[in-house]
Amino acid sequence: MEEHFVWVTTRRIKAGSLEEFERAWRPGSFPEGMRRAYAYWSEDGQEITGVSLWDSRQACDAWRSSDAEKERREVMAPYVVEERESFYRGGELTLPAR
């Protein structure tokens, strides 16, 4: 199984602030070492989960400690009620043939 390095962040945001939050949330440029990024929204628009795949833990940590990420988080802060985040290692599961 090919190993993946994944950062997951789930944020609950203030009601009615999805549009403003999305503008603040999207980075101006994508970081070195990020392979892919996904975003998932709850039906009520008050919870957003971001999933990013990285070349390594070090690449993810370098972005997370960068000035650009710190500034992005400051701009998001007025809309965020709660935040949970974690780093994972793992791989794609193979589904059985049907």
Side-chain angles (χ1 to χ4, degrees):
M1 173 170 39
E2 179 184 355
E3 185 171 48
H4 296 272
F5 302 94
V6 180
W7 185 258
V8 178
T9 304
T10 300
R11 293 179 179 93
R12 194 164 53 86
I13 61 171
K14 294 178 182 176
S17 69
L18 180 59
E19 219 174 286
E20 294 89 352
F21 173 81
E22 283 182 323
R23 279 195 293 275
W25 182 56
R26 294 188 187 276
S29 62
F30 286 91
E32 186 72 32
M34 180 188 278
R35 292 183 181 184
R36 297 184 91 95
Y38 302 89
Y40 304 96
W41 293 263
S42 62
E43 287 189 39
D44 66 4
Q46 288 187 268
E47 189 169 276
I48 295 94
T49 297
V51 179
S52 54
L53 280 67
W54 296 83
D55 288 338
S56 66
R57 172 75 190 237
Q58 294 78 13
C60 180
D61 288 346
W63 166 251
R64 296 200 33 74
S65 64
S66 72
D67 289 339
E69 174 64 353
K70 287 176 189 167
E71 289 172 20
R72 189 176 76 95
R73 287 175 171 270
E74 286 174 10
V75 174
M76 284 188 289
Y79 311 109
V80 176
V81 174
E82 179 185 4
E83 181 176 280
R84 297 179 313 276
E85 49 191 20
S86 296
F87 185 82
Y88 300 91
R89 292 172 41 183
E92 184 177 357
L93 299 177
T94 303
L95 299 177
R98 294 182 185 196

